[in-house]
Amino acid sequence: MEARTSLEQHTKEGRGRKKNRGRMIIGLGGIIILAFCLFFFTDLLEMTTGKEDGQNHQAAEPAKQQGQSSQDAGNNSVTQPQGKVVYLTFDDGPSEWSGKFLDMLDQHGIKATFFMQGSNLERSDWHSEVKRAVREGHYVGGHSMTHQYNKLYEEGQFIPEMKETLSLIHDLTGENPRLVRPPFGSSPGLVDEQLRDQIVEAGIKIWDWTIDSKDWDLKDHPQQIVENIKIATKNDIEVVLMHEMPQTLQALPEIIAFYQQEGYSFAVYDAAKHFHLNFLEDHRL
């Protein structure tokens, strides 16, 4: 009886151990399956999130580039041309020398910017030269009617005189120029902000210069005009102030050769690509 009881106990204990072992195996298997499922879903979640992040990144990148492009375009609309560019400008025409200046520029294939004076524009014997200048691709802007400091700046005739001058150019050429060069420069004549406000309202643009050749004071000294320009040339963008005078005409071939050797291209004022150039740094003009 004791042996039988012992055997039954042993059998029961063996069955218990098997049950426990089975439970352990089932539990371990469950853990493995649970771990596998957790790994699978985590990986799937990362893939989905990563894909969405990638899409968001790709969508954000063009937006960023578009923003940069818009900003660059805005900057380009107000900044100076790229590269080395020189604008040859001539004041106080038309004159008896206008035709010879046009001949010289034509020989070199260069377009220039002329700022003409109303009292000279009224002279019928020079009308053909004004029309020729526009026909050959040069820009003709205004330089006042009288060129008198007191009338323009102290008596408040700057805008009326410029409007009259631009009207004369329109009558002769059919063009509608808005660019003028203030006699003696914009400073100090246009320091009054209220006057500049009126210039803006009138739709008039202002150009001074970066280089003063001082040719007006160098009769019979064309070489000094050249030297003045060479010494003053320091920037990639230069606007050279000259006048329709015989000494300037003599100096012009060497001036052109100098800028060609220095790698400059020659440009004519383009209203569609206007950039501000005034001593007062007023970006509206």
Side-chain angles (χ1 to χ4, degrees), residues 126-173:
W126 292 335
H127 285 179
S128 61
E129 306 301 347
V130 180
K131 295 176 182 178
R132 177 189 169 189
V134 171
R135 187 172 63 250
E136 294 183 356
H138 305 283
Y139 186 93
V140 177
H143 196 45
S144 82
M145 291 297 296
T146 64
H147 206 287
Q148 295 182 19
Y149 189 94
N150 290 344
K151 284 188 176 181
L152 291 169
Y153 305 114
E154 294 180 2
E155 297 178 16
Q157 293 303 302
F158 181 87
I159 293 175
E161 284 203 20
M162 289 303 181
K163 283 184 174 181
E164 186 176 357
T165 305
L166 295 174
S167 179
L168 286 171
I169 295 170
H170 169 72
D171 292 342
L172 288 172
T173 67

Side-chain angles (χ1 to χ4, degrees), residues 36-52:
F36 176 79
C37 291
L38 184 61
F39 174 81
F40 176 79
F41 284 110
T42 302
D43 187 58
L44 181 62
L45 181 63
E46 288 178 352
M47 289 176 62
T48 304
T49 306
K51 185 176 180 181
E52 291 175 354

Side-chain angles (χ1 to χ4, degrees), residues 223 225-234 254 258-259:
Q223 192 58 42
I225 298 172
V226 176
E227 293 305 316
N228 288 348
I229 290 174
K230 286 183 178 180
I231 293 170
T233 298
K234 298 176 181 178
E254 193 170 346
F258 165 71
Y259 280 113

Side-chain angles (χ1 to χ4, degrees), residues 65-263:
Q65 292 175 357
Q66 184 178 4
Q68 290 174 341
S69 299
S70 299
Q71 185 177 9
D72 291 343
N75 289 338
N76 287 338
S77 68
V78 295
T79 55
Q80 296 175 337
Q82 300 299 310
K84 299 177 73 172
V85 181
V86 59
Y87 294 80
L88 302 182
T89 70
F90 302 94
D91 287 8
D92 296 350
S95 69
E96 59 183 308
W97 302 100
S98 295
K100 295 186 181 297
F101 274 94
L102 293 174
D103 290 342
M104 180 74 69
L105 293 168
D106 182 59
Q107 290 171 16
H108 290 85
I110 293 172
K111 309 303 180 187
T113 304
F114 291 83
F115 292 100
M116 295 190 173
Q117 190 172 315
S119 56
N120 293 335
L121 286 165
E122 290 178 325
R123 293 188 53 168
S124 59
D125 50 333
W126 292 335
H127 285 179
S128 61
E129 306 301 347
V130 180
K131 295 176 182 178
R132 177 189 169 189
V134 171
R135 187 172 63 250
E136 294 183 356
H138 305 283
Y139 186 93
V140 177
H143 196 45
S144 82
M145 291 297 296
T146 64
H147 206 287
Q148 295 182 19
Y149 189 94
N150 290 344
K151 284 188 176 181
L152 291 169
Y153 305 114
E154 294 180 2
E155 297 178 16
Q157 293 303 302
F158 181 87
I159 293 175
E161 284 203 20
M162 289 303 181
K163 283 184 174 181
E164 186 176 357
T165 305
L166 295 174
S167 179
L168 286 171
I169 295 170
H170 169 72
D171 292 342
L172 288 172
T173 67
E175 299 293 313
N176 289 293
R178 308 308 300 167
L179 184 70
V180 305
R181 171 167 283 163
F184 314 103
S186 62
S187 180
L190 302 179
V191 293
D192 185 348
E193 189 171 358
Q194 289 186 343
L195 175 55
R196 298 204 304 277
D197 290 342
Q198 295 170 12
I199 294 171
V200 173
E201 290 175 6
I204 294 173
K205 297 295 185 180
I206 301 290
W207 251 24
D208 286 315
W209 54 87
T210 64
I211 295 175
D212 184 353
S213 68
K214 296 184 172 59
D215 58 346
W216 57 273
D217 195 35
L218 292 169
K219 184 179 179 180
D220 300 325
H221 295 284
Q223 192 58 42
Q224 187 58 53
I225 298 172
V226 176
E227 293 305 316
N228 288 348
I229 290 174
K230 286 183 178 180
I231 293 170
T233 298
K234 298 176 181 178
N235 304 309
D236 284 348
I237 308 298
E238 298 288 11
V239 177
V240 185
L241 167 63
M242 295 177 282
H243 299 78
E244 293 190 24
M245 294 181 169
Q247 61 266 30
T248 310
L249 184 64
Q250 288 179 273
L252 191 54
E254 193 170 346
I255 293 169
I256 292 171
F258 165 71
Y259 280 113
Q260 288 173 333
Q261 292 167 4
E262 294 297 313

